[in-house]
Amino acid sequence: GKAASAAAAAVYQAVYKSEGQQHSFNAPFQLGGGSLDLPSDGWSETLQVAKGDVIVMGTDGLWDNLFDRSIVQAVQDAAAALPAGEMTPRKLAEVVAKTLADQAHR
């Protein structure tokens, strides 16, 4: 049979979400050609994390299209689906990133 995931029993939850970084409603900070925003204009925060914590970072393309509970569920589902031998932070990140990108583009 299929090896059980070590993280299958883990229960993930959102414990912190930063404020959106925008100049005003529907005017997020922009980086790239033609923008006056600089990386130094972004906000910086320091948070304590522990082994096993999952950090999800994304643009407004993610946060505007998915509810927090859908993002947490994607992490939960990916962790539960990965066999214990394949469960690494990198593999979890790859599966979660692909899942969230696919869901945000629907």
Side-chain angles (χ1 to χ4, degrees):
K2 192 174 178 182
S5 169
V11 176
Y12 294 92
Q13 62 180 330
V15 295
Y16 177 80
K17 183 176 179 180
S18 67
E19 294 289 323
Q21 298 186 29
Q22 56 187 0
H23 297 287
S24 60
F25 177 74
N26 214 23
F29 289 11
Q30 300 282 322
L31 294 178
S35 173
L36 299 177
D37 293 332
L38 301 172
S40 59
D41 294 329
W43 303 328
S44 175
E45 297 183 55
T46 302
L47 304 169
Q48 289 188 334
V49 295
K51 184 176 180 177
D53 286 354
V54 176
I55 300 167
V56 177
M57 294 183 278
T59 66
D60 56 335
L62 175 69
W63 305 113
D64 289 352
N65 291 299
L66 295 176
F67 291 108
D68 293 354
R69 67 179 176 269
S70 298
I71 295 169
V72 171
Q73 190 62 55
V75 172
Q76 187 75 42
D77 292 348
L82 286 170
E86 294 179 31
M87 178 55 137
T88 65
R90 180 181 296 270
K91 185 64 176 175
L92 180 62
E94 290 170 357
V95 173
V96 170
K98 181 173 180 354
T99 299
L100 293 176
D102 290 347
Q103 289 178 5
H105 284 107
R106 286 185 190 163

